[in-house]
Amino acid sequence: MEGLSEILIYSSFLLLIIALVLAFFRLAKGPSVHDRIASLDLIASIVMGFILLYSVLIKNALYIDIVLVMSLISFVGTVAISTYLKQKP
Amino acid sequence: MKILSIPYKLLTFLLYYLFKVIQSNIYIAYDILTPKMHTNPGYVWVPIRINSKFGLLFLSNLISMTPGTLSIDYSEKKNALLVHYLYDSKEHIVLTDIERIQNKIIALFK
Amino acid sequence: MNILLVSILLFFGSVFILIASIGLVRFKDLYSRMHATTKATSFGILLLLLGISIYFNSWNVAIKVVLIINLIYFTAPLAAHSIAKSYEDKKDKE
């Protein structure tokens, strides 16, 4: 890992941090609850991207299992919250 | 020949799906990154002709992944799918586009 | 050469996730926001996973990558559908 590729990987960390800040902005501001659920879904994806980039940085392939579990849990959480909001009187 | 035709159909369907995914991402990236938004959102009920549950799952998945359309609701009484579109101001463009996708899925499951 | 391809793939994946996030802030109503978060996020994760599987270059990783891509592409439209349906019901009730 040298030169240009290192710069590209560190700048992609920077891009993901900017994305996290923007998603938190929508999470704080969002007019309805459903906007907040959509932004939480996006935040889960951003954290998955962080873990993937980190696994390249420290050269450990074991971190992919975390992404597998996290994609499952994010889907189940989104469906559970929106179903609860639909059933709520 | 009949055994060979199933992987061929599946492969062409997969390539079509990949093409649609890349096209929709280019559209949405162009739309978000340019300062002037050219969106014109609206709803339309699309009648469907697929009668299997599995085909319906594929259809709604593909509609959500094609450029500018998102499937919202399915009504069993009307046998139709509520689609939200982002770009086209004319409804018949969306309808013919979805009709083409339906023909592809019917050909896949035959 | 190989590592350069991997880093370009990782960079573009992050760019697409950033595009989804900008779209979440810029669009005006919920459904348009959901267009951005459904399509661009899953494509960004797809590019990241492709870069990972080229970088580690083993079957063990490639199988998991295919599994995660399938999982994301089947569940992302379903999550968007679920949020949209709940929003629709709430709008009808008021």
Side-chain angles (χ1 to χ4, degrees):
Chain A
M1 196 173 298
E2 77 291 335
L4 183 60
S5 58
E6 200 165 356
I7 295 173
L8 277 175
I9 288 179
Y10 279 114
S11 60
S12 46
F13 267 112
L14 186 67
L15 292 182
L16 283 187
I17 289 172
I18 298 170
L20 195 62
V21 170
L22 289 176
F24 265 109
F25 175 71
R26 177 53 73 191
L27 181 67
K29 192 190 167 205
S32 72
V33 192
H34 302 87
D35 291 297
R36 297 194 168 106
I37 304 170
S39 106
L40 274 179
D41 204 13
L42 180 62
I43 285 173
S45 299
I46 292 170
V47 174
M48 278 157 62
F50 265 116
I51 294 168
L52 288 176
L53 283 178
Y54 189 65
S55 83
V56 169
L57 205 63
I58 66 167
K59 302 187 179 64
N60 192 346
L62 213 61
Y63 278 64
I64 298 179
D65 296 356
I66 305 175
V67 177
L68 181 59
V69 173
M70 210 164 168
S71 70
L72 268 175
I73 288 182
S74 125
F75 168 65
V76 172
T78 307
V79 172
I81 298 174
S82 56
T83 310
Y84 167 70
L85 285 175
K86 202 168 68 178
Q87 306 282 336
K88 203 174 71 166
Chain B
M1 269 302 121
K2 191 141 171 105
I3 298 171
L4 262 180
S5 85
I6 295 171
Y8 175 71
K9 271 183 195 166
L10 222 60
L11 202 66
T12 51
F13 185 75
L14 203 66
L15 282 179
Y16 178 73
Y17 191 94
L18 209 62
F19 171 69
K20 278 289 182 191
V21 165
I22 292 171
Q23 189 189 17
S24 80
N25 278 289
I26 289 170
Y27 272 38
I28 207 147
Y30 175 73
D31 194 26
I32 288 171
L33 292 180
T34 47
K36 182 178 172 294
M37 292 256 172
H38 13 65
T39 58
N40 189 8
Y43 308 94
V44 60
W45 280 99
V46 179
I48 55 175
R49 295 182 279 113
I50 298 169
N51 42 18
S52 71
K53 285 268 159 73
F54 202 60
L56 195 62
L57 169 71
F58 265 66
L59 178 67
S60 63
N61 198 330
L62 198 49
I63 284 175
S64 287
M65 283 303 169
T66 44
T69 52
L70 186 75
S71 64
I72 293 176
D73 202 353
Y74 169 65
S75 150
E76 205 154 348
K77 205 164 52 187
K78 287 192 221 173
N79 201 13
L81 206 61
L82 182 61
V83 170
H84 176 264
Y85 56 85
L86 199 55
Y87 300 115
D88 301 311
S89 53
K90 301 177 193 65
E91 287 178 359
H92 65 266
I93 299 175
V94 178
L95 285 177
T96 50
D97 209 19
I98 291 171
E99 194 67 25
R100 207 175 303 139
I101 296 170
Q102 278 195 51
N103 287 333
K104 270 196 189 300
I105 290 177
I106 288 172
L108 180 70
F109 280 104
K110 205 181 283 178
Chain C
M1 197 56 218
N2 207 358
I3 183 76
L4 191 63
L5 176 68
V6 169
S7 54
I8 287 171
L9 277 176
L10 293 178
F11 183 74
F12 273 99
S14 311
V15 165
F16 271 101
I17 293 178
L18 179 63
I19 283 172
S21 179
I22 295 172
L24 188 72
V25 174
R26 274 194 74 191
F27 278 127
K28 291 199 171 50
D29 59 333
L30 176 67
Y31 293 135
S32 310
R33 281 172 201 149
M34 221 108 73
H35 276 278
T37 59
T38 307
K39 286 164 195 153
T41 310
S42 39
F43 191 61
I45 296 282
L46 175 86
L47 287 183
L48 284 175
L49 285 169
L50 222 61
I52 293 276
S53 85
I54 293 173
Y55 179 71
F56 285 113
N57 197 10
S58 79
W59 284 106
N60 208 351
V61 174
I63 291 172
K64 281 174 195 163
V65 164
V66 169
L67 192 63
I68 297 172
I69 288 173
N70 273 323
L71 207 64
I72 284 175
Y73 268 85
F74 271 106
T75 58
L78 285 179
H81 185 95
S82 160
I83 297 174
K85 203 162 159 68
S86 123
Y87 186 65
E88 188 91 349
D89 284 5
K90 195 182 159 224
K91 224 170 38 180
D92 284 348
K93 226 175 267 179
E94 280 167 3

